[in-house]
Amino acid sequence: SLLSSDIEQSIVVDEEEENVADTTKNTNTAAILSTATKLELSCPPPQRKITIQMLTDNYGSDTSWEFRQVYENNNNNGSGGTAHLTRGPILAKNERTYDNREFDSRDVCLEDSSLYELTVYDTYGDGLCCRYTAGHYKILKHPPPPPTT
């Protein structure tokens, strides 16, 4: 649950859109990127892989995030009411407290036909931005796997 001083940034990811999310600020991340070898995540059809990238600001311990599936509830009873979203299971999240100016990257398999939400929390309340060296987050969409024969 959020503390009253937390900032919450959410983005609903609709996989029908080509450019899912990019909140990159003009930061120099080249020196921060790790050269460690990662295992390649392979997603079974009909799923596709996305990569969630996070770069914290100068107060990395303030930042946490979670990526989850959301479900659309149509409570209109035939009267043209609005749809509401219900949060589903968490599919990925930060696994530890971040250091200052830390880069993290996580691959996730998801269904194109589903809705997803990335929520970024900042316990101090100033976000990933501006006065204390801007951080950023990105969601990168990978092409679907080739069809199996």
Side-chain angles (χ1 to χ4, degrees), residues 32-137:
I32 300 165
L33 298 177
S34 171
T35 58
T37 304
K38 284 179 42 174
L39 294 176
E40 184 71 24
L41 176 67
S42 178
C43 300
Q47 295 182 340
R48 89 162 56 207
K49 180 171 70 173
I50 65 162
T51 301
I52 301 168
Q53 295 180 342
M54 177 73 58
L55 175 65
T56 66
D57 60 13
N58 280 349
Y59 296 91
S61 62
D62 293 347
T63 305
S64 63
W65 62 272
E66 57 191 30
F67 183 79
R68 67 176 65 229
Q69 190 168 4
V70 292
Y71 303 98
E72 190 173 19
N73 297 320
N74 292 316
N75 297 328
N76 59 16
N77 297 326
S79 61
T82 37
H84 299 279
L85 297 178
T86 301
R87 288 181 164 182
I90 294 174
L91 303 175
K93 64 180 187 172
N94 60 296
E95 296 177 354
R96 60 187 166 60
T97 302
Y98 287 122
D99 290 328
N100 300 340
R101 301 294 296 158
E102 183 173 349
F103 179 82
D104 188 15
S105 180
R106 194 77 43 86
D107 292 335
V108 180
C109 293
L110 50 80
E111 303 277 339
D112 277 344
S113 60
S114 296
L115 295 173
Y116 300 88
E117 175 184 71
L118 172 64
T119 305
V120 178
Y121 302 96
D122 181 272
T123 58
Y124 187 74
D126 60 350
L128 290 173
C129 176
C130 305
R131 189 171 179 190
Y132 301 106
T133 311
H136 70 258
Y137 59 91

Side-chain angles (χ1 to χ4, degrees), residues 7-26:
I7 285 183
E8 178 180 349
Q9 289 181 306
S10 293
I11 182 167
V12 174
V13 179
D14 181 347
E15 279 300 307
E16 297 298 318
E17 296 295 321
E18 188 58 33
N19 295 320
V20 179
D22 184 349
T23 61
T24 306
K25 301 295 179 192
N26 291 328

